[in-house]
Amino acid sequence: MRFKRAYCVIVGIAVLLLGAGTTAGAARGPTAAPAITTGITIDPASEDPGESQFVPGASNVVPATAAPATDIGTAAVQSLVAPFYACPGYSGIEKTNPLANLYADKFAWGPYAAYKVGNGGGNINWSLNPYKNASWYMWFHSLRWLGQGIAAAGAGNLTALTRVNTIAYDWYATTRTRGRRTSARGSRPCTARTC
């Protein structure tokens, strides 16, 4: 290692002394004076326009050509923006997914027929996409199809509340693992029948 370092230093000094660092085609020895170039040609400035938008001492305000409006009134301005976030509801998807479908673990969207997505007890197979449709899959994972169950739970239906909670927790437990799917009922691996 010590020999390599000393060898590199000696070669570097020799290259510098012998002038190997000069550019190709450059004369070695006394150098000629560089030719004088004028550089970038600068054209003379153009003449100023005779009239300009901004005349010194004059105003650029255009006078009114008609009388001011009188029909404006003094009514208070009403904001078009709601003072709070307005919930979009369930986007209408709850209409095609009644409470009976929720209890049977069936999901319906768009032109497609209701499809059984679970085992009937709230254990849903979240990897399903029976119609091979990205929109069907997106709305299935949106959980907005639980709308009828949420409304019924809000009205005091404990069966609907239990089913909505079971499905929502199943979605959370299944999708939170991302690459490693496990059943919502425990840590056993999912299969098509158990997940």
Side-chain angles (χ1 to χ4, degrees):
M1 186 67 149
R2 184 183 255 171
F3 175 72
K4 281 186 177 180
R5 188 179 307 158
Y7 178 74
C8 289
V9 170
I10 292 171
V11 170
I13 292 171
V15 167
L16 289 174
L17 290 177
L18 295 175
T22 60
T23 58
R28 294 190 186 187
T31 57
I36 299 174
T37 58
T38 58
I40 300 173
T41 306
I42 299 176
D43 292 335
S46 60
E47 293 182 27
D48 289 334
E51 292 183 23
S52 177
Q53 178 181 355
F54 301 103
V55 179
S59 172
N60 61 354
V61 176
V62 178
T65 57
T70 58
D71 61 343
I72 295 175
T74 58
V77 177
Q78 208 173 20
S79 174
L80 297 177
V81 179
F84 55 87
Y85 173 75
C87 179
Y90 305 108
S91 302
I93 196 170
E94 78 280 2
K95 294 173 186 163
T96 58
N97 292 286
L99 205 52
N101 279 8
L102 187 65
Y103 291 144
D105 289 343
K106 289 184 178 179
F107 170 66
W109 176 80
Y112 304 107
Y115 190 85
K116 188 165 180 71
V117 294
N119 65 358
N123 191 6
I124 307 295
N125 184 350
W126 296 105
S127 63
L128 284 177
N129 190 358
Y131 301 109
K132 307 292 186 245
N133 183 287
S135 294
W136 187 96
Y137 187 77
M138 181 206 66
W139 283 104
F140 176 47
H141 278 267
S142 75
L143 301 182
R144 289 184 178 195
W145 56 282
L146 303 178
Q148 293 281 343
I150 294 169
N157 185 335
L158 293 180
T159 307
L161 177 65
T162 303
R163 179 52 61 97
V164 167
N165 282 343
T166 302
I167 293 173
Y169 180 76
D170 187 65
W171 179 86
Y172 166 75
T174 303
T175 59
R176 73 184 163 111
T177 57
R178 301 197 186 236
R180 179 180 53 97
R181 295 186 59 221
T182 58
S183 171
R185 305 280 188 264
S187 60
R188 68 185 195 282
C190 282
T191 64
R193 294 182 187 153
T194 63
C195 194

